[in-house]
Amino acid sequence: MTLRVPHSPAAIGGVAALLVLLGLLIVLPVGVLVIGSFLSEAPRALHFDWSGLTFGNYRNVITAGGFGPVLAATLGTALAGTAGAVLVGSSLAWLAVRTDVPGRRALDVVAVMPLFVPPLIGAFAWDILASPRAGIINILLRSAGASVKVNIYSFAGIGLVYAIYYAPYVYLFAAAALRNMDATLEEAAAMSGAGRLRVLCQITLPLVTPAVLASGLLVFVLLIELFAIPAVLGEPGNLHFIAVRIWDMVGVTPPRVNDASALGVLMLLVTVALVLIQHKIVSRRSYVTVAGKGQRVRPVALGAARWPLAIGGFGYLLLVVVLPYVALLFISLRRNIFFNNVTAILDTRQLSLDQFRIAFSDPVVVGTLWNSLAVSTGTMVIGCVLYFATAYIVHRTRLPGRRALDLVTVLPVAIPGIIIGLGYLWSWISIPIGLYGTIWILILAYVSQFAPQASRAIGASLVQIHPELEESSRLCGAGFAMTLRRIVIPLARPGVISAAILLFVLSFRELATALFLYTSNTQLFSLAMFDFWQRGSTGLVAAMALVQSAILLVVVLLGQVLRQDPVAAGR
């Protein structure tokens, strides 16, 4: 239900102002990038040389040597990672929701924990663990006399990292579908003589297929546009990816900015098409599984398989979270990061806090940390205010233009971060308002990129508030501002806090969007980690990764405390 807010000139003007602002933040950068892909000169927001329109940039990108392998590597590893994520995520969802596996509730938490591991940190950790020559796992295997070698720099290796860190997206979709299923369908099949495996294959799986397909397409889109993992693990194995190739094109001398724009547009077309398909699957209503007469879900009895499957489920936590962080801690505490046998690995004389001392005494590291904290805080504050206003208009009013607002805020879900960064570079560098080269350009880029997450988190809380509460407040003489402050904001508080935490966490760990926007004075913590990694400062990077993870953990825990404090909500 929505409020009947009068269509006053002020209200309509507010909607128009928001549309213009979001257009500048989201639509303008992408539009400049698209136009630049058809120009022979670098694109500018205020001046385009229309006489140089050409398809030559696309021809250069497609016919240039190496485009085929780059496309194959990007799509192939994304497909392999998606398949693995679907298998792991849906399996964990079934175990946690529909079986009697021990520790079901704990498994529900374990399944989503990889969401809090930044892809860049995950890539660093797996490079330490499974590089072909010096990886800890390979050293242990050689010491044990095994002839097997793990190569994280391969299609399979990168696909594995993709799968384990993006399985939670599938889990969230599949678990929701399994919880909403009518258990009588499985009960009827079992009473008809079908075994557990047949019920699973012929009843359960078909009913959750739309959710699994939708989540699989979402993961595929996210993996196509991912930069951090391919940049760290692909380049050493001579595997090149589209996002990394765009970065390389701008970084060469002279920079191939128009070719990069063309490649970015091709990437954008693919992601937009996949997001539209995903949206169509999500909005389907042909698989209705929630009946009017529900019954308590009776867990599937696994028998002797209960404990082995439980061990496998919790082993996922060990593989994805515990093992990588142990590797980072191990490297960060060593004086000498070079070792080639178990004896060298276990040498306690190498233990030291030197890397942490270096990190906290290095002005570059400390400066980038403060920059990241400032950018993340700015993104959080501006994003919450902007998207609260947007979500309120979309979900609580019938004002004209609200559907356009909703559409604009959801657009970035199909726009890769590196595309947003490149678009901001060409659209704002020529606008004479002094934003480029400051942290404000980074804040605006992040506010644009994470619009879908923030607006949806806030909107989910707003739609739960009945309009009668606001109408009663106004009938008692309270104005619009007081109603917002005393009624709407306190009740929508959980969603606002969730949006704030999301914005802070996502912007603090983001790498790709800032690649084209930072300067020596505005470098961010993730960018500094990536730069030190390229220079071979592995120990310092491990220490920085642990510091970043600790900050994110504190922020998430603080958000949980604030969201569950009902006393503060009533003040």
Side-chain angles (χ1 to χ4, degrees):
M1 296 179 66
T2 56
L3 291 172
R4 294 188 178 182
V5 177
H7 293 185
S8 65
I12 295 175
V15 175
L18 275 176
L19 277 172
V20 171
L21 179 58
L22 291 175
L24 289 173
L25 292 177
I26 298 173
V27 180
L28 174 64
V30 178
V32 171
L33 182 74
V34 172
I35 294 173
S37 69
F38 294 99
L39 299 178
S40 55
E41 300 292 335
R44 294 290 187 270
L46 298 180
H47 174 71
F48 296 107
D49 183 8
W50 298 106
S51 63
L53 289 176
T54 177
F55 285 96
N57 302 316
Y58 291 91
R59 184 170 56 252
N60 293 340
V61 167
I62 295 174
T63 61
F67 177 74
V70 168
L71 183 63
T74 302
L75 298 181
T77 53
L79 186 61
T82 301
V86 167
L87 178 62
V88 173
S90 56
S91 299
L92 287 173
W94 182 70
L95 286 175
V97 177
R98 304 310 297 268
T99 73
D100 64 347
V101 68
R104 290 171 56 194
R105 293 186 178 180
L107 190 61
D108 190 41
V109 176
V110 165
V112 298
M113 286 188 69
L115 286 176
F116 301 102
V117 181
L120 183 63
I121 290 179
F124 289 154
W126 280 100
D127 194 9
I128 294 169
L129 284 167
S131 64
R133 295 183 179 179
I136 296 174
I137 293 175
N138 286 315
I139 290 174
L140 296 176
L141 289 174
R142 286 199 300 268
S143 300
S147 59
V148 180
K149 179 187 290 187
V150 180
N151 183 9
I152 206 66
Y153 301 150
S154 62
F155 280 106
I158 297 174
L160 171 66
V161 177
Y162 279 175
I164 59 180
Y165 286 110
Y166 282 81
Y169 292 92
V170 180
Y171 175 87
L172 293 173
F173 277 70
L178 287 168
R179 289 189 179 98
N180 286 332
M181 276 180 52
D182 187 352
T184 57
L185 301 171
E186 293 173 309
E187 293 289 337
M191 291 178 62
S192 299
R196 286 196 298 264
L197 182 60
R198 188 175 181 183
V199 171
L200 175 64
C201 295
Q202 296 189 0
I203 303 296
T204 309
L205 288 181
L207 290 176
V208 299
T209 293
V212 172
L213 284 177
S215 61
L217 280 169
L218 176 62
V219 169
F220 190 62
V221 170
L222 295 174
L223 294 180
I224 288 175
E225 65 188 46
L226 190 61
F227 175 85
I229 294 176
V232 173
L233 302 179
E235 298 299 304
N238 200 31
L239 297 176
H240 306 288
F241 296 78
I242 290 178
V244 182
R245 177 60 60 87
I246 293 173
W247 178 56
D248 289 338
M249 285 179 172
V250 178
V252 298
T253 304
R256 299 166 54 195
V257 294
N258 299 96
D259 288 354
S261 298
L263 185 55
V265 172
L266 292 176
M267 186 181 189
L268 182 62
L269 291 175
V270 173
T271 56
V272 168
L274 290 173
V275 166
L276 291 176
I277 295 172
Q278 189 260 1
H279 177 72
K280 185 176 182 179
I281 292 176
V282 169
S283 61
R284 287 177 61 184
R285 293 294 182 267
S286 57
Y287 285 76
V288 178
T289 61
V290 183
K293 293 182 179 180
Q295 74 174 52
R296 294 188 59 177
V297 176
R298 188 173 300 174
V300 177
L302 297 177
R306 291 175 70 236
W307 285 103
L309 289 175
I311 293 172
F314 287 101
Y316 174 68
L317 173 66
L318 175 67
L319 181 68
V320 178
V321 180
V322 177
L323 189 60
Y325 277 109
V326 168
L328 289 170
L329 181 62
F330 169 73
I331 293 295
S332 68
L333 294 177
R334 284 184 63 89
R335 289 190 177 91
N336 183 4
I337 64 171
F338 300 102
F339 43 82
N340 56 10
N341 54 56
V342 177
T343 303
I345 291 176
L346 299 178
D347 185 1
T348 57
R349 293 173 299 177
Q350 294 292 329
L351 296 180
S352 169
L353 293 174
D354 288 347
Q355 298 298 338
F356 290 94
R357 280 194 289 268
I358 293 172
F360 286 107
S361 62
D362 189 328
V364 173
V365 175
V366 175
T368 59
L369 178 58
W370 283 113
N371 284 342
S372 285
L373 290 173
V375 169
S376 299
T377 303
T379 302
M380 177 181 67
V381 173
I382 295 175
C384 282
V385 173
L386 177 61
Y387 295 120
F388 180 87
T390 302
Y392 186 87
I393 292 173
V394 170
H395 297 287
R396 308 295 295 170
T397 75
R398 298 179 183 177
L399 292 172
R402 62 190 182 95
R403 296 190 184 278
L405 279 176
D406 192 34
L407 176 62
V408 172
T409 55
V410 81
L411 278 178
V413 76
I415 306 173
I418 198 166
I419 302 301
I420 290 180
L422 187 58
Y424 262 77
L425 173 65
W426 300 128
S427 59
W428 291 91
I429 195 172
S430 60
I431 298 179
I433 57 176
L435 280 181
Y436 188 78
T438 69
I439 64 170
W440 292 105
I441 192 72
L442 295 163
I443 291 173
L444 294 180
Y446 286 160
V447 168
S448 303
Q449 182 181 359
F450 304 125
Q453 294 91 329
S455 60
R456 290 300 181 265
I458 296 173
S461 289
L462 289 176
V463 296
Q464 295 177 328
I465 303 173
H466 200 285
E468 289 179 353
L469 298 174
E470 291 180 75
E471 292 171 354
S472 299
S473 174
R474 294 177 184 177
L475 286 173
C476 293
F480 177 73
M482 180 174 287
T483 300
L484 276 182
R485 183 171 62 87
R486 299 295 298 272
I487 304 295
V488 179
I489 293 178
L491 292 176
R493 179 173 163 273
V496 175
I497 293 176
S498 295
I501 299 305
L502 267 174
L503 287 170
F504 188 96
V505 170
L506 292 173
S507 56
F508 193 79
R509 57 185 264 185
E510 177 60 21
L511 172 65
T513 306
L515 284 171
F516 303 118
L517 301 177
Y518 78 97
T519 65
S520 59
N521 294 324
T522 60
Q523 189 176 19
L524 302 180
F525 201 65
S526 294
L527 290 165
M529 278 197 293
F530 185 61
D531 185 45
F532 282 125
W533 183 266
Q534 291 183 307
R535 299 181 189 181
S537 302
T538 308
L540 178 58
V541 170
M544 293 174 66
L546 292 173
V547 170
Q548 186 187 58
S549 299
I551 292 173
L552 293 178
L553 178 61
V554 170
V555 170
V556 170
L557 293 178
L558 179 62
Q560 293 289 343
V561 172
L562 293 175
R563 192 166 49 189
Q564 296 174 4
D565 183 7
V567 176
R571 291 176 181 172

